[in-house]
Amino acid sequence: MAVVDGKWKPLILWELQEGPKRFNALHRSLPGISQKMLTQHLKELQRHGVVHRESYHQVPPKVEYSMTDAGRELLDALGPLGDWATKHIAMIVAADQD
């Protein structure tokens, strides 16, 4: 569970399923996440082997993030959890308002 712990990690993986993204594009696609938090989560996801960081040696520097095979498997495993959340969204929202 530590691999997807927190609000942002599953959302980062969701965004990366469409293909490689540069940091700023990923940041724009996740409104509300700070650059510091995105950087921290990307490093943790890399360390867990579900995100790959590709650094291109050019000027200006270019870095892309993509999902590994393990990351795709993890996202597949999270699918039923997302389905459950969609089915019970009213209950979840009500609990958050208490």
Side-chain angles (χ1 to χ4, degrees):
M1 289 307 292
V3 177
V4 291
D5 182 33
K7 172 182 177 180
W8 296 107
K9 288 180 183 177
L11 298 174
I12 292 168
L13 291 174
W14 183 261
E15 287 298 321
L16 290 175
Q17 75 177 335
E18 300 168 5
K21 283 195 174 185
R22 295 180 71 173
F23 182 88
N24 285 333
L26 194 53
H27 187 246
R28 283 190 302 271
S29 68
L30 297 165
I33 191 171
S34 68
Q35 288 187 351
K36 178 182 176 185
M37 185 62 62
L38 180 56
T39 299
Q40 178 182 332
H41 283 324
L42 285 168
K43 286 181 181 179
E44 290 171 6
L45 290 167
Q46 284 176 255
R47 197 169 45 249
H48 286 113
V50 295
V51 168
H52 173 73
R53 180 182 187 268
E54 182 73 32
S55 181
Y56 299 92
H57 300 288
Q58 62 186 47
V59 177
K62 178 181 174 183
V63 175
E64 286 184 336
Y65 295 91
S66 60
M67 278 209 299
T68 64
D69 289 340
R72 281 186 279 284
E73 287 179 41
L74 177 59
L75 196 57
D76 289 343
L78 291 174
L81 181 61
D83 294 342
W84 178 89
T86 300
K87 181 177 178 182
H88 296 91
I89 192 68
M91 177 183 68
I92 296 166
V93 170
D96 285 346
Q97 291 176 352
D98 288 343

